[in-house]
Amino acid sequence: MNKRNLKLMVVPAIYTLAIIVFGTSMYLIQRTINNSRFESNEDMEYVDKEIVTDNEYIPVIAPDVTITKPYINGDVKLVKPFYDYHGEKENQENALIIYKDTYMQNSGVDYQNKEAFDIVSVLDGTIIEVSENEVLGKTIKIRHDNNLISTYQSLSEITVKKDDTVLKGQIIGKSGTSNLYNSDSNLHFELSYQGKNIDPETSYNKTIDEL
């Protein structure tokens, strides 16, 4: 065999060997990388069960909390509206309270029913006052967020005490009577927002920020 033929055989062999070495090197490098990725970690805890069950509820966005009515009985009626200084004359006259020949503007609203009805908190809050007055009857005051105060008067029963935390819709008492109203099942209800009385009837189903 002459030198020319030997050279022709050696060159392809060198190329083939180089390709084999290169491929083997890449395989070993890739295997090393994969092993390092999946190397066991003592601090890692594996879970083979469902993390969230069907019984759990995880809200994505907290819903807005709106003001509810201070009663749940559907037969309760509004009998005395809020006195609006900017309202029509007829509405203002209907919102006047007469007590011992004295006319007073209604600073809240009055609800009545034939029978006593449960009174509920209109929002989550803290009881700041529980009292009884000869004229106004039994009274509850609740402080809510953003300096909103709800007042419930002329109650016959009270089921909470000062400093109690109450939830929206929680029963806090029963309707009753007082010397200011001529009914055995009355609720006088007021809302004060940042120190100013507002009309409860226009506040229901609103958030505090919408007042």
Side-chain angles (χ1 to χ4, degrees), residues 10-26:
V10 170
V11 172
I14 293 174
Y15 277 113
T16 301
L17 181 61
I19 292 173
I20 293 173
V21 172
F22 178 79
T24 303
S25 300
M26 294 301 296

Side-chain angles (χ1 to χ4, degrees), residues 40-147:
S40 61
N41 189 337
E42 294 181 357
D43 296 332
M44 187 179 298
E45 183 178 354
Y46 293 91
V47 179
D48 58 358
K49 297 180 180 179
E50 291 183 9
I51 296 176
V52 179
T53 66
D54 294 336
N55 295 328
E56 293 178 329
Y57 170 69
I58 301 178
V60 177
I61 301 176
D64 290 332
V65 179
T66 56
I67 300 170
T68 189
K69 293 183 178 181
Y71 57 87
I72 52 179
N73 188 323
D75 295 328
V76 174
K77 305 296 183 183
L78 174 70
V79 294
K80 185 71 68 175
F82 175 80
Y83 187 93
D84 184 357
Y85 288 91
H86 303 288
E88 297 180 0
K89 183 178 181 180
E90 181 178 355
N91 293 336
Q92 290 179 337
E93 291 176 352
N94 292 332
L96 292 175
I97 299 173
I98 305 175
Y99 179 68
K100 292 185 176 181
D101 298 326
T102 300
Y103 287 86
M104 298 177 290
Q105 293 106 352
N106 196 2
S107 55
V109 290
D110 292 274
Y111 300 107
Q112 289 181 3
N113 189 40
K114 293 181 180 180
E115 299 178 353
F117 52 94
D118 290 330
I119 308 302
V120 299
S121 176
V122 297
L123 281 172
D124 295 356
T126 302
I127 307 293
I128 59 174
E129 181 182 324
V130 175
S131 61
E132 185 171 3
N133 183 280
E134 182 179 351
V135 177
L136 303 175
K138 292 181 173 66
T139 297
I140 300 173
K141 285 190 177 183
I142 304 176
R143 177 181 286 114
H144 311 282
D145 290 339
N146 206 16
N147 201 22

Side-chain angles (χ1 to χ4, degrees), residues 1-17:
M1 182 180 297
N2 57 37
K3 292 182 179 180
R4 179 179 179 82
N5 290 336
L6 180 62
K7 185 177 180 180
L8 291 174
M9 294 177 62
V10 170
V11 172
I14 293 174
Y15 277 113
T16 301
L17 181 61

